[in-house]
Amino acid sequence: MPSPVVGFLLTAQLLALPGVRVSRAVVVMGTQLKIDVIAASRPAALEATEASYQAVLRADALLSTWHASSLDSLNQATVGDTTAISTELLSLLHEVLPWRDSTGGAFEPVSGALADAWDLRGAGRVPSTDQLRRALASTGAEAMEIRDKVAVRQRGGAWLDSGAFGKGAALRMAARALQHEGIQAALLDFGGQVLAVGAPDHAGGWTVAVADPRDRQRSALELLLRDVSASTSAQSERFVTVDGHRYGHILDPHTGRPVSAWGSVTVIAADPMLADILSTALFVMGPEQGLAWANRHPSIGAVFLVSSTAGTRCVTSVGARKFVVPSDSQPAP
Ligand code: AMP
Ligand code: MG
């Protein structure tokens, strides 16, 4: 079983619980999803794990770019044709797309042409200047127009990549399913993003470790999370290697090039989809600009782990400090 992308190592803290804990692991959206639910009875916990799994499957049917989905039908449309967007997908896209502007273009979902230019889903390739120029022309709001209830691919090769927000959207749908089931405490670990609902008995929240981007078997720091989601973005897990150079999967939409592997950023937000969108965007901005952006938005928290030959430096935004578990051995925020 491949281990999940840079993410979270659960700490064993669930030994003395009232109620019943059920743990389940499934592979969905190409990643392992670990579901831990605490409920009043075993049938209730089992039902809740199933409900959250089914919610993630619905998100996948809506947003997958790997198999047929509502989004994929827009991405496969003939250039110039008008394609109707389902109500559910439309309401998600109406939330997602404004983050392009709010992040100064760091988050750009219509960036599939760039991923193709670098063959990031295949063996990898360094595009020629001309190929990169064409891929940039097929990137952004004008390359795929989404207005009213329709989408129009305006440029050949343009497609909307849900990679930076799909897991977050899925965790949001799972959170609603758990709420519907009346679940007070659950932890969903979706390889790089966790959803923490309530807290285990007598705890202030769920303790999750953020991996060191240079060695993700090592925990760099711990977070105490309750009714929030935390999403980590890094280049160290998904990359292609061309002529000995590593090119990561997170692209700077301004240059069309993969962002350098400077470390990782973890964004903590009440809304899982927002945490997902912003971890990608802040990774593109980098630790300095990203920190300034996060400090202007204290309702979210951002933890930057900046790698260098000297080690890993931890920098936290004002909104993140309350989540960091103090530790002598942790790098100071
Ligand atoms: P994440 O792991 O959440 O940071 O998402 C990374 C994924 O988002 C990549 O694998 C691409 O599918 C997609 N992506 C890469 N760069 C960007 C970007 N600048 N804006 C939006 N999506 C991106
Ligand atoms: Mg993301």
Side-chain angles (χ1 to χ4, degrees), residues 31-47:
T31 309
Q32 180 173 263
L33 168 66
K34 288 191 223 147
I35 307 170
D36 274 285
V37 170
I38 300 169
S41 69
R42 188 170 163 78
L46 282 170
E47 201 173 303

Side-chain angles (χ1 to χ4, degrees), residues 106-109 111 161 163-164 233 238 249-251 253 276 279-280 284:
F107 171 73
E108 177 47 73
S111 54
D161 188 348
S233 288
R238 289 179 48 209
H249 65 132
I250 302 175
L251 294 150
D276 196 0
S279 69
T280 310
V284 173

Side-chain angles (χ1 to χ4, degrees), residues 59 64 73 75 110 113 127 275 317:
S64 180
S73 63
N75 284 339
V110 182
S317 76

Side-chain angles (χ1 to χ4, degrees), residues 5-229:
V5 290
V6 167
F8 304 93
L9 316 161
L10 301 188
T11 47
Q13 61 178 167
L14 296 170
L15 296 175
L17 299 172
V20 180
R21 177 189 172 196
V22 165
S23 303
R24 187 173 168 191
V26 289
V27 174
V28 58
M29 292 178 133
T31 309
Q32 180 173 263
L33 168 66
K34 288 191 223 147
I35 307 170
D36 274 285
V37 170
I38 300 169
S41 69
R42 188 170 163 78
L46 282 170
E47 201 173 303
T49 63
E50 182 61 20
S52 55
Y53 173 47
Q54 290 300 327
V56 173
L57 288 178
R58 283 200 302 282
D60 195 33
L62 206 58
L63 293 173
S64 180
T65 56
W66 296 92
H67 57 73
S69 70
S70 305
L71 177 60
D72 205 44
S73 63
L74 308 189
N75 284 339
Q76 300 293 334
T78 305
V79 174
D81 275 5
T82 298
T83 316
I85 311 177
S86 72
T87 316
E88 200 177 8
L89 181 58
L90 191 69
S91 75
L92 262 188
L93 293 180
H94 274 162
E95 270 190 73
V96 166
L97 296 174
W99 288 102
R100 302 175 146 130
D101 290 341
S102 314
T103 60
F107 171 73
E108 177 47 73
V110 182
S111 54
L114 290 173
D116 287 343
W118 292 87
D119 192 24
L120 293 175
R121 293 177 164 217
R125 159 196 334 121
V126 176
S128 67
T129 311
D130 196 46
Q131 286 168 331
L132 195 59
R133 189 183 52 73
R134 272 185 281 128
L136 276 167
S138 293
T139 298
E142 283 162 22
M144 186 187 270
E145 279 182 20
I146 292 167
R147 53 181 150 81
D148 305 327
K149 294 178 180 171
V150 297
V152 186
R153 278 176 101 193
Q154 297 289 16
R155 307 284 304 212
W159 56 278
L160 196 151
D161 188 348
S162 58
F165 65 90
K167 271 195 217 169
L171 284 178
R172 179 205 272 192
M173 287 161 75
R176 287 182 184 157
L178 290 170
Q179 197 178 19
H180 184 75
E181 296 289 323
I183 294 302
Q184 308 282 325
L187 186 70
L188 271 58
D189 179 358
F190 207 169
Q193 182 162 7
V194 295
L195 167 74
V197 176
D201 190 35
H202 306 311
W206 295 86
T207 304
V208 299
V210 181
D212 184 329
R214 298 191 313 164
D215 171 10
R216 67 188 181 77
Q217 300 311 317
R218 223 192 118 253
S219 154
L221 81 160
E222 286 186 332
L223 301 173
L224 187 67
L225 305 175
R226 183 183 190 123
D227 297 328
V228 287
S229 181

Side-chain angles (χ1 to χ4, degrees), residues 263-326:
S264 74
V265 57
T266 298
V267 171
I268 306 149
D271 175 12
M273 191 166 81
L274 184 58
D276 196 0
I277 289 172
L278 291 181
S279 69
T280 310
L282 297 190
F283 190 86
V284 173
M285 291 180 203
E288 285 86 25
Q289 258 198 56
L291 179 67
W293 193 98
N295 281 337
R296 289 196 300 275
H297 298 81
S299 63
I300 62 113
V303 177
F304 298 85
L305 293 175
V306 186
S307 305
S308 71
T309 44
T312 298
R313 189 166 53 91
C314 174
V315 188
T316 51
S317 76
V318 286
R321 292 185 191 145
K322 61 178 181 274
F323 299 106
V324 177
V325 177

